[in-house]
Amino acid sequence: TYGQLGDGNTTTWGTHSNTPVTVLNLTNVDLISSGYFYSFALLADNTVKGWGSNTSGQLGDGTTTNRTTPVSNTSLTNVDNLSSLLHSCALFDNDTVDCWGSNTNSASYSEGDNTVTNVNDVQAGWAHSCALINGGTIKCWGYQGSWGTLGNGSLTQSTAPVSVSGISNATQITAG
């Protein structure tokens, strides 16, 4: 419906492709990150292309235009890792993070606000994000709900990154 297959086509709601289709205009791909009706490719030159739904600006191209084929994102260079769900986050080669897209319940934030540095990995969850800090600690921000997704012993959402309690030697993270 939103072009999330990346083959230049859209279909009506409920119509699917039951066989793989080739995503157009992609070569030298190192990583794919798929969100809710959209996807990114991290290319070997550390640049990014995105396609699919862009209704919340989650492709980060400065528009809310859905894309049926991959488009380059000129603001995303020197990217080491990507994660996406309802919003998107990029980890840059200087160990900083930017997030963009759906900001429901403060799930994403701009790098200028409460900057997280010395980051080894970043993961975008449903309405929160988490960063693995070099050395093994974890910081999360966004929505808690009644689930405690920020891991700090509180049920209060936070636009500022908060430390996850009791973890000091993590080597990997994920957010759901």
Side-chain angles (χ1 to χ4, degrees), residues 30-86:
D30 280 351
L31 176 112
I32 295 287
S33 179
S34 294
Y36 197 66
F37 298 123
Y38 70 104
S39 295
F40 283 109
L42 177 58
L43 306 180
D45 66 358
N46 295 88
T47 61
V48 174
K49 288 189 175 187
W51 64 96
S53 177
N54 198 23
T55 56
S56 298
Q58 62 267 43
L59 294 181
D61 64 357
T63 74
T64 55
T65 303
N66 298 335
R67 308 293 185 172
T68 60
T69 60
V71 294
S72 294
N73 187 318
T74 57
S75 66
L76 292 174
T77 59
N78 302 315
V79 175
D80 283 345
N81 198 6
L82 287 166
S83 182
S84 46
L85 194 51
L86 291 179

